[in-house]
Amino acid sequence: MGLNFANKISASHVDWRKNIMKVRLAAETLSSSTADALEALNCLNVSEFKNVEETIKFIRTIDRLFDFLNTRSPFGKGFKKPLYQNNVEKQKGIILPLIKYLLKLTDVKGIPISSTPRKTFVIG
């Protein structure tokens, strides 16, 4: 069995200083395929990828929020489904827990991210 974990853009080939604030790079990095790869590596007991459950949860949360905020097609399904008057309550039930999760994130000192100078990604 052969596995190849790769994205179109390799982290070693990206000059992050030139690409700061590029949403496309963030969306590719924080995607469900990245979370799937981390889960697979964890299941394969690769020592560098143990205890990645919280990282996977974070990545999936951001991916779902990207999908929700980037809805373009009126035929989207799941997190890509557009917001209509008749599905507002259902969508709120999906999105509000994701927002609450982000608001509960803390830095290494235990201070909520939403209260630090880096709060923009949570509040913005």
Side-chain angles (χ1 to χ4, degrees):
M1 177 170 97
L3 297 174
N4 182 19
F5 296 104
N7 265 344
K8 291 184 279 183
I9 298 175
S10 169
S12 63
H13 294 97
V14 174
D15 183 357
W16 294 104
R17 289 164 293 212
K18 290 182 181 176
N19 292 299
I20 198 164
M21 300 299 290
K22 297 271 176 125
V23 174
R24 181 181 59 82
L25 293 175
E28 286 182 12
T29 304
L30 299 171
S31 67
S32 60
S33 60
T34 302
D36 292 343
L38 288 173
E39 279 183 338
L41 291 166
N42 188 29
C43 288
L44 293 170
N45 294 318
V46 177
S47 61
E48 295 88 357
F49 294 93
K50 290 187 180 200
N51 303 317
V52 294
E53 293 79 15
E54 288 302 315
T55 302
I56 293 167
K57 182 178 180 179
F58 175 80
I59 291 171
R60 291 201 189 283
T61 299
I62 297 299
D63 181 57
R64 288 175 182 148
L65 287 169
F66 269 136
D67 287 347
F68 179 77
L69 295 171
N70 198 30
T71 299
R72 293 183 185 181
S73 170
F75 306 108
K77 299 193 184 317
F79 289 102
K80 294 184 180 187
K81 186 172 184 168
L83 194 58
Y84 293 113
Q85 190 173 6
N86 64 349
N87 73 350
V88 169
E89 291 306 314
K90 182 178 180 186
Q91 294 292 65
K92 279 172 49 176
I94 294 170
I95 295 305
L96 288 179
L98 300 177
I99 294 169
K100 287 178 183 176
Y101 167 79
L102 288 178
L103 291 173
K104 288 181 182 178
L105 291 176
T106 62
D107 66 8
V108 293
K109 296 176 184 174
I111 300 169
I113 298 290
S114 58
S115 301
T116 69
R118 301 264 182 201
K119 65 185 171 196
T120 304
F121 100 91
V122 173
I123 297 176

